[in-house]
Amino acid sequence: MSLDADLLTDRRRLKRRLSLWRLLAIVAVLGVIGLAAGGGARIGMEASGRAHVARLAISGTIGEARRELQVLERARRDDNVRALILAIDSPGGTMAGGEALHAAIARFAETKPVVATMGGVAASAGYMIAMPAQRVLARESTLTGSIGVLLQSMNVSDLLERFGIRPEVIASGPFKDQPSPFRPLTAEGRASLERLIADLHSQFVHIVAAGRHMEEAQVRELADGRVFSGREAVGLGLVDAIGGEREARAWLAAERGVPESLPLRTIETRGRAERFFADASGWMMKTLFSEWLGVDVPRALWQPFP
């Protein structure tokens, strides 16, 4: 092996060692900062002291959203908050989670204007929570709609029988273990679950009809689980217009008298320490995989060894 190759190999080994020690040092520093800042973590907006437009981002699967419910109520009572931009990027979630957020946003909209902006996807419960907004905006390529309710299960009874496994189930009633992965649905069990799904679906249809000022019969024609693009949703009346935050601010100024000059402040649902650790961990993972594992190790795989 040439001297240049030896030097290059040693240099890369040293770089890997330094990267490891760098990461360990960062972890130690973060631990100290976390201990110092942990007691000061709080949920809500950073104190602004002056009038502004609040922005709340709802992303990922919608479930129990206690923090979001708390900050929405706090923002509703804050006289400095003149309006809310609800930024949605969610494929949906639980019916109860969507219902709770919908109710909190509706309470906010009773006293202050709300504009919902849809990102890449705002479907199912992600679409439901946009309904209290006085203005709903989407991108042309946003995936939205999916108005419906889903209950999934599986039946592995044939597979268990093949291996000689016979589950024993003791239930307090004939519907308690419906659905069950251990046996097929009975006719009565299927009818009971279909009744439940129909009721939840009717609730969803009613929410959309009230929010979009449409007849329930018209909504039911669209409420078969189909997903629409933002452009299709505008034509169907499920969304008001194509746009994002800039268009939301323009509408608030023109229709609700909320000046575009007011600052836009993001409502944080995480404490300072939690946000710091999340950002720092993201940076660390990027450093680890992009700079260390992503660059040096793959090259080392084909490099000649001394």
Short mmCIF file of all heavy atoms in Angstrom, two decimals, residues 126-166:
data_model
loop_
_atom_site.label_atom_id
_atom_site.label_comp_id
_atom_site.label_asym_id
_atom_site.label_seq_id
_atom_site.Cartn_x
_atom_site.Cartn_y
_atom_site.Cartn_z
N GLY A 126 -58.31 14.43 9.87
CA GLY A 126 -57.57 15.63 9.47
C GLY A 126 -58.43 16.61 8.70
O GLY A 126 -58.21 17.82 8.75
N TYR A 127 -59.41 16.09 7.97
CA TYR A 127 -60.38 16.96 7.28
C TYR A 127 -61.44 17.44 8.26
O TYR A 127 -61.86 18.60 8.22
CB TYR A 127 -61.02 16.21 6.11
CG TYR A 127 -62.07 17.02 5.39
CD1 TYR A 127 -61.72 18.09 4.59
CD2 TYR A 127 -63.42 16.73 5.54
CE1 TYR A 127 -62.67 18.85 3.93
CE2 TYR A 127 -64.39 17.48 4.89
CZ TYR A 127 -64.01 18.54 4.09
OH TYR A 127 -64.96 19.30 3.46
N MET A 128 -61.86 16.57 9.17
CA MET A 128 -62.90 16.91 10.12
C MET A 128 -62.56 18.16 10.93
O MET A 128 -63.41 19.03 11.14
CB MET A 128 -63.14 15.74 11.08
CG MET A 128 -64.18 16.01 12.17
SD MET A 128 -64.18 14.76 13.47
CE MET A 128 -64.75 13.35 12.55
N ILE A 129 -61.30 18.27 11.39
CA ILE A 129 -60.95 19.37 12.28
C ILE A 129 -60.89 20.71 11.55
O ILE A 129 -60.82 21.77 12.18
CB ILE A 129 -59.61 19.11 13.00
CG1 ILE A 129 -58.46 19.02 12.01
CG2 ILE A 129 -59.71 17.85 13.86
CD1 ILE A 129 -57.10 18.91 12.67
N ALA A 130 -60.93 20.68 10.22
CA ALA A 130 -60.95 21.94 9.46
C ALA A 130 -62.35 22.52 9.36
O ALA A 130 -62.52 23.68 8.97
CB ALA A 130 -60.38 21.71 8.05
N MET A 131 -63.35 21.76 9.71
CA MET A 131 -64.74 22.17 9.47
C MET A 131 -65.18 23.41 10.25
O MET A 131 -66.02 24.17 9.75
CB MET A 131 -65.69 21.00 9.76
CG MET A 131 -65.55 19.83 8.79
SD MET A 131 -65.86 20.31 7.06
CE MET A 131 -64.21 20.69 6.45
N PRO A 132 -64.70 23.68 11.46
CA PRO A 132 -65.15 24.91 12.13
C PRO A 132 -64.56 26.19 11.53
O PRO A 132 -65.03 27.28 11.86
CB PRO A 132 -64.65 24.72 13.58
CG PRO A 132 -64.36 23.27 13.72
CD PRO A 132 -63.92 22.83 12.37
N ALA A 133 -63.55 26.08 10.69
CA ALA A 133 -62.89 27.27 10.14
C ALA A 133 -63.83 28.03 9.21
O ALA A 133 -64.61 27.43 8.46
CB ALA A 133 -61.62 26.88 9.40
N GLN A 134 -63.73 29.37 9.26
CA GLN A 134 -64.55 30.19 8.36
C GLN A 134 -64.00 30.17 6.93
O GLN A 134 -64.69 30.54 5.98
CB GLN A 134 -64.61 31.63 8.86
CG GLN A 134 -65.41 31.81 10.13
CD GLN A 134 -64.54 31.79 11.37
OE1 GLN A 134 -63.36 31.45 11.31
NE2 GLN A 134 -65.11 32.14 12.52
N ARG A 135 -62.75 29.74 6.79
CA ARG A 135 -62.12 29.65 5.47
C ARG A 135 -61.21 28.44 5.46
O ARG A 135 -60.41 28.25 6.38
CB ARG A 135 -61.30 30.92 5.20
CG ARG A 135 -60.70 31.03 3.80
CD ARG A 135 -61.75 31.36 2.77
NE ARG A 135 -61.16 31.76 1.50
CZ ARG A 135 -61.88 31.98 0.39
NH1 ARG A 135 -63.19 31.85 0.42
NH2 ARG A 135 -61.29 32.34 -0.73
N VAL A 136 -61.34 27.58 4.43
CA VAL A 136 -60.52 26.38 4.31
C VAL A 136 -59.75 26.45 3.00
O VAL A 136 -60.35 26.57 1.92
CB VAL A 136 -61.38 25.10 4.35
CG1 VAL A 136 -60.50 23.87 4.23
CG2 VAL A 136 -62.21 25.05 5.63
N LEU A 137 -58.43 26.38 3.10
CA LEU A 137 -57.56 26.47 1.93
C LEU A 137 -56.76 25.18 1.79
O LEU A 137 -56.39 24.54 2.78
CB LEU A 137 -56.59 27.66 2.06
CG LEU A 137 -57.22 29.03 2.26
CD1 LEU A 137 -56.13 30.07 2.54
CD2 LEU A 137 -58.03 29.44 1.04
N ALA A 138 -56.48 24.80 0.55
CA ALA A 138 -55.68 23.61 0.29
C ALA A 138 -54.77 23.87 -0.90
O ALA A 138 -55.00 24.80 -1.69
CB ALA A 138 -56.58 22.41 0.01
N ARG A 139 -53.72 23.09 -1.00
CA ARG A 139 -52.90 23.10 -2.21
C ARG A 139 -53.61 22.28 -3.28
O ARG A 139 -54.45 21.43 -2.98
CB ARG A 139 -51.52 22.51 -1.93
CG ARG A 139 -50.71 23.28 -0.89
CD ARG A 139 -50.43 24.68 -1.34
NE ARG A 139 -49.62 25.41 -0.36
CZ ARG A 139 -49.32 26.70 -0.47
NH1 ARG A 139 -49.77 27.40 -1.52
NH2 ARG A 139 -48.58 27.31 0.44
N GLU A 140 -53.28 22.52 -4.54
CA GLU A 140 -53.93 21.76 -5.61
C GLU A 140 -53.69 20.27 -5.45
O GLU A 140 -54.55 19.45 -5.78
CB GLU A 140 -53.43 22.24 -6.97
CG GLU A 140 -53.93 23.62 -7.35
CD GLU A 140 -53.63 23.95 -8.79
OE1 GLU A 140 -52.93 23.16 -9.45
OE2 GLU A 140 -54.11 24.99 -9.28
N SER A 141 -52.50 19.90 -4.94
CA SER A 141 -52.15 18.49 -4.81
C SER A 141 -52.41 17.92 -3.42
O SER A 141 -52.05 16.77 -3.15
CB SER A 141 -50.67 18.29 -5.16
OG SER A 141 -49.86 19.10 -4.32
N THR A 142 -53.02 18.70 -2.54
CA THR A 142 -53.37 18.19 -1.21
C THR A 142 -54.31 16.99 -1.34
O THR A 142 -55.23 17.00 -2.16
CB THR A 142 -54.06 19.28 -0.38
OG1 THR A 142 -53.15 20.35 -0.14
CG2 THR A 142 -54.51 18.73 0.97
N LEU A 143 -54.07 15.97 -0.53
CA LEU A 143 -54.99 14.82 -0.46
C LEU A 143 -55.94 15.06 0.69
O LEU A 143 -55.53 15.16 1.85
CB LEU A 143 -54.21 13.53 -0.25
CG LEU A 143 -53.18 13.17 -1.32
CD1 LEU A 143 -52.48 11.87 -0.99
CD2 LEU A 143 -53.82 13.11 -2.70
N THR A 144 -57.20 15.15 0.39
CA THR A 144 -58.19 15.47 1.43
C THR A 144 -59.45 14.65 1.21
O THR A 144 -59.53 13.82 0.31
CB THR A 144 -58.49 16.98 1.43
OG1 THR A 144 -59.29 17.29 2.57
CG2 THR A 144 -59.20 17.42 0.17
N GLY A 145 -60.44 14.87 2.07
CA GLY A 145 -61.66 14.09 2.00
C GLY A 145 -61.55 12.85 2.87
O GLY A 145 -61.29 12.93 4.07
N SER A 146 -61.72 11.67 2.27
CA SER A 146 -61.73 10.40 3.01
C SER A 146 -62.74 10.46 4.15
O SER A 146 -62.44 10.10 5.29
CB SER A 146 -60.33 10.07 3.54
OG SER A 146 -60.30 8.76 4.09
N ILE A 147 -63.93 10.95 3.83
CA ILE A 147 -64.99 11.09 4.83
C ILE A 147 -65.60 9.72 5.07
O ILE A 147 -66.31 9.18 4.23
CB ILE A 147 -66.06 12.09 4.35
CG1 ILE A 147 -65.41 13.44 4.01
CG2 ILE A 147 -67.15 12.27 5.39
CD1 ILE A 147 -66.33 14.39 3.27
N GLY A 148 -65.29 9.15 6.20
CA GLY A 148 -65.79 7.82 6.49
C GLY A 148 -65.20 7.29 7.79
O GLY A 148 -64.37 7.94 8.42
N VAL A 149 -65.65 6.11 8.18
CA VAL A 149 -65.20 5.47 9.42
C VAL A 149 -64.77 4.05 9.09
O VAL A 149 -65.42 3.37 8.28
CB VAL A 149 -66.33 5.46 10.47
CG1 VAL A 149 -65.83 4.87 11.79
CG2 VAL A 149 -66.87 6.86 10.69
N LEU A 150 -63.69 3.62 9.72
CA LEU A 150 -63.11 2.33 9.40
C LEU A 150 -62.90 1.51 10.67
O LEU A 150 -62.40 2.03 11.67
CB LEU A 150 -61.76 2.53 8.70
CG LEU A 150 -60.92 1.28 8.40
CD1 LEU A 150 -61.61 0.43 7.35
CD2 LEU A 150 -59.54 1.69 7.93
N LEU A 151 -63.30 0.24 10.61
CA LEU A 151 -63.01 -0.71 11.69
C LEU A 151 -62.43 -1.95 11.03
O LEU A 151 -63.04 -2.56 10.17
CB LEU A 151 -64.29 -1.07 12.46
CG LEU A 151 -64.14 -2.18 13.52
CD1 LEU A 151 -63.18 -1.76 14.62
CD2 LEU A 151 -65.49 -2.56 14.10
N GLN A 152 -61.20 -2.31 11.43
CA GLN A 152 -60.51 -3.44 10.83
C GLN A 152 -60.20 -4.50 11.87
O GLN A 152 -59.90 -4.19 13.03
CB GLN A 152 -59.21 -2.99 10.16
CG GLN A 152 -59.42 -2.17 8.90
CD GLN A 152 -58.10 -1.76 8.28
OE1 GLN A 152 -57.18 -1.35 8.96
NE2 GLN A 152 -58.01 -1.89 6.97
N SER A 153 -60.25 -5.74 11.44
CA SER A 153 -59.85 -6.86 12.28
C SER A 153 -59.31 -7.94 11.35
O SER A 153 -59.20 -7.74 10.15
CB SER A 153 -61.04 -7.37 13.11
OG SER A 153 -60.62 -8.42 13.95
N MET A 154 -58.95 -9.07 11.92
CA MET A 154 -58.48 -10.18 11.10
C MET A 154 -58.98 -11.49 11.71
O MET A 154 -59.30 -11.56 12.90
CB MET A 154 -56.96 -10.18 11.00
CG MET A 154 -56.25 -10.41 12.32
SD MET A 154 -54.45 -10.45 12.13
CE MET A 154 -54.14 -8.77 11.60
N ASN A 155 -59.03 -12.50 10.86
CA ASN A 155 -59.47 -13.83 11.30
C ASN A 155 -58.36 -14.82 10.98
O ASN A 155 -58.09 -15.11 9.81
CB ASN A 155 -60.78 -14.20 10.58
CG ASN A 155 -61.22 -15.61 10.91
OD1 ASN A 155 -60.78 -16.19 11.90
ND2 ASN A 155 -62.08 -16.17 10.07
N VAL A 156 -57.70 -15.32 12.01
CA VAL A 156 -56.60 -16.27 11.83
C VAL A 156 -56.99 -17.65 12.32
O VAL A 156 -56.12 -18.48 12.63
CB VAL A 156 -55.33 -15.78 12.57
CG1 VAL A 156 -54.84 -14.46 11.99
CG2 VAL A 156 -55.58 -15.64 14.07
N SER A 157 -58.27 -17.91 12.42
CA SER A 157 -58.73 -19.19 12.96
C SER A 157 -58.25 -20.37 12.12
O SER A 157 -57.86 -21.41 12.66
CB SER A 157 -60.25 -19.20 13.08
OG SER A 157 -60.86 -18.96 11.82
N ASP A 158 -58.26 -20.24 10.78
CA ASP A 158 -57.78 -21.33 9.93
C ASP A 158 -56.30 -21.60 10.14
O ASP A 158 -55.85 -22.75 10.16
CB ASP A 158 -58.05 -21.01 8.46
CG ASP A 158 -59.53 -21.03 8.11
OD1 ASP A 158 -60.30 -21.62 8.89
OD2 ASP A 158 -59.91 -20.44 7.08
N LEU A 159 -55.52 -20.53 10.29
CA LEU A 159 -54.09 -20.68 10.53
C LEU A 159 -53.83 -21.36 11.87
O LEU A 159 -52.98 -22.26 11.98
CB LEU A 159 -53.41 -19.31 10.49
CG LEU A 159 -51.89 -19.29 10.74
CD1 LEU A 159 -51.17 -20.06 9.64
CD2 LEU A 159 -51.39 -17.85 10.80
N LEU A 160 -54.56 -20.97 12.91
CA LEU A 160 -54.39 -21.59 14.22
C LEU A 160 -54.78 -23.07 14.19
O LEU A 160 -54.11 -23.91 14.81
CB LEU A 160 -55.25 -20.85 15.26
CG LEU A 160 -54.86 -19.39 15.54
CD1 LEU A 160 -55.83 -18.79 16.55
CD2 LEU A 160 -53.44 -19.29 16.07
N GLU A 161 -55.84 -23.37 13.44
CA GLU A 161 -56.27 -24.77 13.35
C GLU A 161 -55.22 -25.63 12.66
O GLU A 161 -55.01 -26.79 13.02
CB GLU A 161 -57.60 -24.84 12.59
CG GLU A 161 -58.19 -26.23 12.53
CD GLU A 161 -59.54 -26.24 11.83
OE1 GLU A 161 -60.03 -25.15 11.48
OE2 GLU A 161 -60.09 -27.34 11.61
N ARG A 162 -54.55 -25.04 11.69
CA ARG A 162 -53.50 -25.78 10.98
C ARG A 162 -52.38 -26.20 11.92
O ARG A 162 -51.78 -27.26 11.76
CB ARG A 162 -52.96 -24.93 9.84
CG ARG A 162 -51.89 -25.61 9.00
CD ARG A 162 -51.42 -24.71 7.88
NE ARG A 162 -52.53 -24.31 7.01
CZ ARG A 162 -52.40 -23.47 5.98
NH1 ARG A 162 -51.22 -22.91 5.73
NH2 ARG A 162 -53.45 -23.16 5.25
N PHE A 163 -52.09 -25.37 12.91
CA PHE A 163 -51.03 -25.67 13.86
C PHE A 163 -51.56 -26.32 15.14
O PHE A 163 -50.83 -26.47 16.12
CB PHE A 163 -50.28 -24.38 14.22
CG PHE A 163 -49.40 -23.87 13.11
CD1 PHE A 163 -49.87 -22.88 12.27
CD2 PHE A 163 -48.14 -24.39 12.90
CE1 PHE A 163 -49.07 -22.40 11.24
CE2 PHE A 163 -47.34 -23.93 11.87
CZ PHE A 163 -47.80 -22.93 11.03
N GLY A 164 -52.81 -26.69 15.13
CA GLY A 164 -53.38 -27.37 16.27
C GLY A 164 -53.60 -26.48 17.48
O GLY A 164 -53.62 -26.96 18.62
N ILE A 165 -53.79 -25.19 17.26
CA ILE A 165 -54.01 -24.23 18.35
C ILE A 165 -55.50 -23.93 18.44
O ILE A 165 -56.12 -23.50 17.45
CB ILE A 165 -53.21 -22.93 18.13
CG1 ILE A 165 -51.72 -23.24 18.02
CG2 ILE A 165 -53.46 -21.94 19.26
CD1 ILE A 165 -50.88 -22.04 17.62
N ARG A 166 -56.07 -24.14 19.63
CA ARG A 166 -57.50 -23.91 19.82
C ARG A 166 -57.71 -22.91 20.95
O ARG A 166 -57.61 -23.26 22.13
CB ARG A 166 -58.20 -25.21 20.14
CG ARG A 166 -58.14 -26.23 19.03
CD ARG A 166 -58.87 -27.50 19.38
NE ARG A 166 -58.81 -28.47 18.30
CZ ARG A 166 -59.34 -29.68 18.34
NH1 ARG A 166 -59.99 -30.07 19.46
NH2 ARG A 166 -59.25 -30.50 17.32
#
